[in-house]
Amino acid sequence: MSSDGIKNGNSEREVMIRVSGLKKKYHLGKIGARTLQGAIKEWRGGSKKGSKSSASANSRNKEFYALNGIDLTVYKGETLGILGKNGAGKSTLLKILCRITAPTEGTVDLYGHITSMLEVGTGFHGEMTGRENIYLNGTILGMTKSEIDEKIDDIIAFSGLEEFIDTPVKRYSSGMFVKLGFSVAYHLDSEIVIMDEVLAVGDVEFQKKCINCLLEAANNDTRTVLYVSHNMNTIRQLCRRCIVLDKGEIIFEGDVDQAISVYLGTEAVMPTEIEYGPEHRSKEYQRLRSRDIFSLDKFRLLNRPEPVFPTSGSAEIELTYTAAKDIKGVGFRFQLWYQDGTKIASSLPGNLVDVREGSHKVKLTLPLSHLTYGRYSADIVVYQLDAGGIERKMDAVSPGFTFQVESAHDKDDYSKWDHQKMGAIRLTDNMVEELPEE
């Protein structure tokens, strides 16, 4: 390992982390005996074919690769998002980078000092005050007393705990505890910062402060950040590039929105016809359907071979329903979700309709003129509005259907849409007119 950055052979970007052929192997089941005598018995028993001890040993020696051949390069000033389900290998990768555990195979080269924020506040002593723990935790993380003296005011101010800094931390809430630990770790003079869901704790104001600091550091190319999170909003805010891990392997590396699609499984084929079943309904709406008054049965896309639309278009769909009786004043509305699970918009029905007893069809149109490119899902809610304006929900399907928006505008060189900064909904374009000089 080296503390000096190197230049990438293909560009002028400075490499801060280089991982090659990284593997980490574990053994499943019980590992080791409690005593030396027990270990000898297991060894002697395991050498006899067909014995119970042998079967136990075979089970214990089953190998599991938490990481299985990882190759990764991270550059100076880059904020890299790491996505993956539980057990995908994210924490194992971070622990190897932080030198908490050693790899089974492969190499890891770090070209800078590293700050680990895997378990913020590790080493805090409950009986000591916040101020005393700053010195204790700072020392554990590699700071000298003079460095802590120089930065302690900034650390306390960043944490927002000035009023409680001389109180024993055993009286702190979990959020206060993390605020102080994050503040200490963040003020280390390190070139590489590794974070694992630490922004998930703490109040909204503190989270915004942390995100703004990390964005500023990334924009100034002062720090390289590896960030693990299940919160797609913070991933999109902080990261320009992502990797997706699955079963110890990198299955995707590249654009953040594409990475989120892969992680959420939204790369699957989008159907043009759907038979609605219990899996499309929450428990609440399954209970509503038990009344057998009204149910949505089927979705079919109209006038398109697949659910891919331009932003200037609209989605026309056909819904098949079954009603147990004639029902007056029925409304159909859409609720739109972006691919990361964020609800972004809802629509009200332009008109109420009267549905007839039996199985029938209705046509719905969903305007898409304000959506940017990306993958979306639409829930469909059906309700009755009585004469007094009271809404009675009758059925809802989630998702009612999924679709893709592709914008020609986003492919223009002069103005590519950036979801990170601009969001998922695009307002009407501004018209700029040059005024004559006075």
Side-chain angles (χ1 to χ4, degrees):
M1 303 231 180
S2 169
S3 60
D4 298 323
I6 64 170
K7 299 290 184 181
N8 182 30
N10 298 324
S11 70
E12 292 301 316
R13 301 184 69 186
E14 187 174 348
V15 175
M16 299 302 291
I17 300 173
R18 176 162 286 153
V19 177
S20 301
L22 188 64
K23 294 185 179 182
K24 180 63 180 179
K25 180 173 65 177
Y26 292 102
H27 293 281
L28 298 179
K30 180 183 175 184
I31 299 175
R34 293 179 179 271
T35 64
L36 177 61
Q37 183 180 14
I40 294 173
K41 286 183 177 179
E42 285 192 5
W43 175 76
R44 294 178 67 180
S47 63
K48 299 177 182 179
K49 293 183 178 180
S51 67
K52 291 183 180 180
S53 298
S54 177
S56 175
N58 290 335
S59 174
R60 185 175 69 247
N61 290 328
K62 185 177 180 181
E63 296 177 348
F64 166 73
Y65 278 90
L67 297 176
N68 193 13
I70 299 293
D71 295 306
L72 180 65
T73 301
V74 187
Y75 300 96
K76 183 177 181 180
E78 184 175 24
T79 302
L80 177 73
I82 302 177
L83 298 174
K85 298 178 181 178
N86 293 333
K90 305 184 300 298
S91 296
T92 302
L93 175 60
L94 298 191
K95 287 177 181 178
I96 291 176
L97 293 176
C98 295
R99 307 173 192 172
I100 295 173
T101 188
T104 304
E105 296 180 33
T107 60
V108 175
D109 294 311
L110 303 175
Y111 302 97
H113 297 291
I114 191 167
T115 295
S116 164
M117 297 188 189
L118 305 186
E119 296 182 14
V120 177
T122 299
F124 277 6
H125 193 292
E127 299 295 334
M128 298 171 67
T129 67
R131 188 184 304 275
E132 291 167 339
N133 271 292
I134 289 175
Y135 282 93
L136 174 62
N137 201 238
T139 302
I140 291 173
L141 293 173
M143 299 173 70
T144 64
K145 184 177 183 302
S146 60
E147 289 175 332
I148 300 173
D149 288 337
E150 183 180 342
K151 297 180 180 181
I152 190 167
D153 291 338
D154 293 335
I155 293 172
I156 296 171
F158 188 89
S159 71
L161 300 174
E162 294 93 335
E163 185 179 354
F164 309 100
I165 201 62
D166 292 310
T167 301
V169 298
K170 68 180 181 181
R171 300 195 180 114
Y172 283 14
S173 67
S174 58
M176 294 166 66
F177 197 86
V178 170
K179 283 183 179 182
L180 189 61
F182 185 96
S183 300
V184 175
Y186 184 77
H187 283 82
L188 285 173
D189 290 327
S190 56
E191 293 86 5
I192 303 170
V193 179
I194 294 182
M195 305 170 61
D196 188 358
E197 285 285 13
V198 295
L199 298 185
V201 184
D203 53 51
V204 173
E205 183 180 353
F206 186 74
Q207 289 183 32
K208 287 182 178 178
K209 185 190 294 186
C210 295
I211 289 173
N212 288 337
C213 287
L214 291 171
L215 283 172
E216 182 180 355
N219 291 334
N220 294 334
D221 291 338
T222 56
R223 283 186 172 179
T224 299
V225 179
L226 271 63
Y227 182 55
V228 170
S229 179
H230 293 286
N231 187 322
M232 300 300 104
N233 288 328
T234 56
I235 285 285
R236 187 177 285 108
Q237 281 181 278
L238 290 174
C239 305
R240 293 291 182 180
R241 183 166 69 100
C242 276
I243 62 171
V244 182
L245 290 174
D246 184 47
K247 298 179 181 178
E249 299 179 357
I250 295 177
I251 61 171
F252 179 85
E253 179 178 351
D255 176 75
V256 173
D257 284 311
Q258 287 181 273
I260 290 172
S261 295
V262 172
Y263 169 62
L264 297 176
T266 51
E267 290 292 285
V269 174
M270 299 174 291
T272 57
E273 294 189 13
I274 301 174
E275 297 277 354
Y276 295 133
E279 69 275 11
H280 292 95
R281 294 172 169 88
S282 66
K283 291 182 179 180
E284 174 191 0
Y285 285 100
Q286 287 186 47
R287 288 194 294 269
L288 288 176
R289 290 192 69 228
S290 66
R291 301 173 187 175
D292 293 327
I293 297 174
F294 180 95
S295 69
L296 290 171
D297 300 326
K298 185 177 179 180
F299 151 84
R300 184 169 74 91
L301 181 69
L302 300 176
N303 303 324
R304 300 193 77 86
E306 58 180 347
V308 179
F309 305 91
T311 55
S312 59
S314 59
E316 294 183 343
I317 69 171
E318 176 187 272
L319 291 176
T320 303
Y321 69 85
T322 299
K325 61 180 182 179
D326 293 347
I327 308 172
K328 293 185 177 181
V330 176
F332 293 76
R333 69 165 176 258
F334 293 103
Q335 296 178 166
L336 294 186
W337 302 78
Y338 193 57
Q339 60 186 5
D340 64 358
T342 303
K343 182 184 283 188
I344 60 168
S346 296
S347 68
L348 292 175
N351 63 302
L352 301 178
V353 298
D354 297 337
V355 301
R356 295 172 292 153
E357 179 182 352
S359 180
H360 301 282
K361 297 176 181 179
V362 293
K363 175 183 172 183
L364 275 67
T365 301
L366 174 63
L368 305 174
S369 57
H370 292 300
L371 298 183
T372 63
Y373 78 91
R375 184 73 64 99
Y376 299 84
S377 63
D379 295 352
I380 303 173
V381 180
V382 186
Y383 62 94
Q384 182 187 28
L385 203 64
D386 65 20
I390 304 300
E391 177 182 304
R392 182 168 65 91
K393 295 175 182 176
M394 297 194 298
D395 201 3
V397 286
S398 176
F401 67 104
T402 58
F403 60 96
Q404 179 86 20
V405 171
E406 292 184 350
S407 171
H409 175 83
D410 296 318
K411 298 175 183 177
D412 292 340
D413 292 335
Y414 75 92
S415 181
K416 187 178 187 305
W417 192 270
D418 186 346
H419 283 110
Q420 184 186 51
K421 296 180 180 178
M422 303 177 186
I425 297 178
R426 177 184 164 194
L427 302 177
T428 304
D429 291 350
N430 300 319
M431 300 305 295
V432 182
E433 181 180 357
E434 186 175 355
L435 297 175
E437 297 183 5
E438 296 181 357

